[in-house]
């Protein structure tokens, strides 16, 4: 597996473009288009929130009931959530505008929106944005980056990843971009992720690979415990790598899945590290669990704890809050058997052993916790299962961003 | 039912005292003693956290296995949680010191601690504090208030309530105090609450009344989603009102329970309104639910949502976040049937009707949300059940308090 630079245009045959459609923001791009030269099989995973945004409902129709998809239109600024029948109609009109501009079927166009809830989309500006993007489509890495920038909301950095693998003697590329910073919590996935690949793979195996992988990647991210109405990850495969088609589990499938996991993990970590107001990526590993489920429950509970997140912001080795968050997670374990470590580029330190303090150096712990990527590792000594969750610290800027997001 | 001033010393025969024992704080009181002139039947509800503090374990022994309790010793500053066998030993030593000073059995002494996790109690100072308090015991309202102040940690105000009812021609008084500001989340109860009454009531009925009532009061409060290791509510009844003993359900029991509910609701609301860094009490009412459980799940989810809490801080009628939090709660409902209102002393406004915006005035909504007690009411139009949860806004000061609580 070779890590390469790039994003959604890294794989063969994929192009992208961006436009400034003035949907809510001025003086920046706010629409992105992803296009494949040939039809793709598509897989998707969507929010489990009862309140589903209109684009989620549209995309579920396309992903579940259409054989192919060929383009994605995404806007930032307005989420098109809680917008009723009118909002769903705008998804249809967006797809229609893209279908006309690109000369493809309307039902092969996926749509996605992110931003404020409850406002209707200015459909004329959306349609103009679509028309402006179609002739600008471009397969260069720069075009992919422009698309990744256009979908940002409170994100502070654009998020891309790409990788190459070899399947059946052919080079297969997977690339992706995502956005997400607030309203992020483990459940299905995290805001918007778009992954493209030139792998030749059946629709069934593509969906299976994605559905399996989101559990260990996007679903393990929490910024603030709020599961969005718009969460969507779309995976498009156009087959242009000309590898022997992957139609069942086996070596080729595993190679593909490993590469997909790399992309999704990178994108998920980027979302966590760029959580609203965050100064640090906070990684929580549970080891020695008696089941995967137990490890997942414990790691998510810690990464979601406001008190723990505030302590990470303060570079404070306040381990009691971590043990407390494990305790109320709903998972059973023996607190008096837990060992806890903090780790970062600055070193690793054992904080508690069998549930009580080791008498560690607070100075050393603070030094380790002052890095911009810090890890807490809890060994519960019950078995061989592990899980890793990603979040971020809770800071003044989270409040600043969210106390008046709409204005 | 008559609301009176007072707290834990309001009921006949109850005395209190406070002391400055320098457990962690300097220049303030940090220990409280509650004492009844005669033995009491005792009821208690305790944290459901797997990680239980030593005093919780001690009190469970007393409440569940001893016929009577006669005193409570509480300290602030150190929580005596995650302290192993050594920590449990300090509970025993505290009870022993109180038993000697008060001339009562060791197993009739309840203990409680609140503060930082993982540190051992300075048992010599605790014992000295106990000795200093015993001769100062006093049944005045002022003594009750001194006790309420001594148990504060990040609380900004002391929390007391008292009420009188008539049972069988006798005046019965119930009074209480509590503390709680951070590490607070609906699950059993919220930090420390002490309620005293001179009612004559059997231990069984007392426990039943308390266990039932915490579900609608303390368990409906969330400040930050973190369920503490120390949550404890103790209810002591010494029978000195000389009412006909309540030994079964009926009119007298209902009268008692209604008064107890008033005390617990007042104390619970005080905790929510004094959440760490809070500028407003945030009340969430779900009406029109098809079951109590559904109403509870929905109201708790909204009151816990960081994004919603930050919006309340910003006086921003960001209703999408409320609908979103209802959506990921796990409860089923039809988002397109929901009506949502905001209400406060400044008025009441309908924000959404059948899931979409009413086109309300943002200016008016902001005016309503600028009060220090604000309510969101969601009507889901499925049935006749309701639930109310209490929380607070999420502010810069929450971060300030928690980023470096230990130093």
């Amino acid at each position: 597996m070779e890590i390469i630079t790039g994003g959604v245009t890294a794989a063969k045959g994929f192009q992208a473009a961006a436009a400034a459609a003035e949907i809510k923001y001025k003086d920046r791009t706010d629409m992105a288009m992803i296009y494949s030269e040939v039809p793709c099989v598509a897989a998707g995973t969507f929010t489990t929130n009862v309140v589903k945004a209109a684009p989620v409902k549209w995309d579920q129709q396309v992903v579940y009931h259409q054989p192919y998809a060929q383009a994605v239109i995404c806007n930032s600024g307005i989420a098109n959530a809680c917008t009723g029948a009118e909002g769903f109609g705008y998804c249809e009109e967006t797809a229609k505008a893209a279908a006309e501009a690109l000369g493809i079927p309307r039902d092969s166009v996926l749509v996605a929106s992110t931003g404020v809830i409850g406002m209707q989309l200015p459909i004329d500006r959306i349609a103009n944005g679509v028309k402006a993007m179609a002739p600008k489509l471009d397969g260069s890495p720069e075009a992919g980056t422009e698309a990744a920038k256009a979908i940002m909301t409170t994100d502070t950095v654009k998020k891309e990843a790409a990788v190459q693998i070899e399947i059946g003697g052919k080079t297969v590329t997977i690339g992706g971009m995502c956005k997400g910073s607030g309203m992020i919590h483990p459940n299905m996935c995290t805001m918007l992720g778009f992954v493209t690949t030139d792998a030749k793979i059946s629709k069934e195996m593509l969906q299976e690979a994605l559905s399996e992988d989101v559990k260990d990647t996007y679903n393990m991210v929490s910024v603030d415990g709020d599961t969005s109405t718009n969460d969507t990850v779309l995976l498009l495969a156009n087959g242009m790598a000309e590898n022997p088609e992957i139609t069942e589990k086996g070596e080729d499938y595993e190679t593909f899945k490993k590469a997909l996991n790399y992309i999704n993990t990178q994108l998920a970590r980027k979302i966590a590290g760029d959580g609203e107001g965050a100064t640090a990526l906070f990684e929580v590993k549970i080891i020695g669990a008696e089941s995967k489920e137990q490890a997942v429950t414990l790691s998510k509970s810690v990464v979601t704890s406001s008190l723990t997140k505030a302590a990470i912001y303060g570079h404070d080795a306040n381990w009691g809050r971590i043990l407390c968050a494990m305790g109320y997670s709903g998972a059973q374990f023996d607190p008096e058997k837990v060992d806890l470590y903090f780790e970062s580029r600055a070193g690793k330190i054992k904080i508690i052993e069998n549930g009580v303090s080791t008498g560690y150096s607070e100075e050393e712990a603070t030094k380790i916790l002052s890095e911009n990527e810090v890890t807490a590792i809890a060994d519960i000594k019950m078995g061989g299962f592990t899980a890793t969750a990603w979040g971020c610290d809770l800071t003044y800027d989270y409040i600043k961003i969210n106390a008046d997001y709409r204005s």
Side-chain angles (χ1 to χ4, degrees), chain A residues 99-166:
Chain A
E100 283 167 8
L102 298 168
I104 57 174
R106 196 193 63 166
D107 290 344
S108 73
V109 179
L110 294 154
V111 298
S113 296
T114 173
V116 69
I117 296 176
M119 283 175 68
Q120 296 292 354
L121 285 176
I123 189 63
D124 291 346
R125 293 186 205 168
I126 295 275
N128 286 338
V130 168
K131 272 180 225 157
M133 288 189 289
K136 283 166 58 188
L137 281 168
D138 185 321
S140 68
E142 292 74 20
T145 297
E146 284 308 308
K149 284 182 184 169
I151 63 173
M152 289 162 62
T153 56
T154 51
D155 305 64
T156 64
V157 292
K158 54 100 186 169
K159 302 171 182 71
E160 297 181 282
V163 74
Q164 283 183 329
I165 46 179
E166 196 165 297

Side-chain angles (χ1 to χ4, degrees), chain A residues 209-229:
Chain A
L210 180 63
S211 295
E212 278 299 306
D213 199 53
V214 295
K215 290 182 202 163
D216 291 327
T217 55
Y218 302 101
N219 280 10
M220 295 302 287
V221 171
S222 180
V223 168
D224 53 15
D226 283 272
T227 301
S228 163
T229 51

Side-chain angles (χ1 to χ4, degrees), chain A residues 13-17 31-39 69-74 93-111 127 129-138 236:
Chain A
F14 283 97
Q15 302 176 0
M31 286 193 75
M33 177 182 271
I34 305 171
Y35 171 73
S36 170
E37 294 166 17
V38 297
Q70 200 163 351
V72 182
I73 309 298
C74 180
E93 289 189 47
T94 304
K96 199 177 148 203
E100 283 167 8
L102 298 168
I104 57 174
R106 196 193 63 166
D107 290 344
S108 73
V109 179
L110 294 154
V111 298
V130 168
K131 272 180 225 157
M133 288 189 289
K136 283 166 58 188
L137 281 168
D138 185 321
L236 303 179

Side-chain angles (χ1 to χ4, degrees), chain A residues 303-316:
Chain A
V303 95
T304 309
S305 155
S306 292
L307 283 173
T308 302
K309 289 152 58 82
I312 296 298
Y313 175 52
H315 308 149
D316 177 14

Side-chain angles (χ1 to χ4, degrees), chain A residues 20 40-41 88 93 118 126 133 153 171 173 186 254 284-285 292 294 300 321 368 374-375 382-383 395 404:
Chain A
C40 307
V41 288
F88 189 78
E93 289 189 47
I126 295 275
M133 288 189 289
T153 56
T171 298
T173 304
E254 290 307 321
V284 178
K285 280 187 195 174
K292 180 70 184 262
Q294 182 194 34
K300 279 188 174 183
R321 295 179 182 174
I368 288 169
V374 300
T375 304
M382 294 175 79
T395 72
D404 202 12

Side-chain angles (χ1 to χ4, degrees), chain A residues 348-363:
Chain A
K348 183 172 178 177
I349 189 169
K350 191 177 205 170
I351 298 285
I352 64 174
E353 185 168 313
N354 293 322
V356 293
S357 174
T358 56
Y360 61 92
S361 151
E362 289 283 358
E363 195 184 345

Side-chain angles (χ1 to χ4, degrees), chain A residues 55 92 95 111 113 146 232 245 247 291 316:
Chain A
E92 209 166 350
V111 298
S113 296
E146 284 308 308
T232 300
E245 187 177 7
T247 56
S291 71
D316 177 14

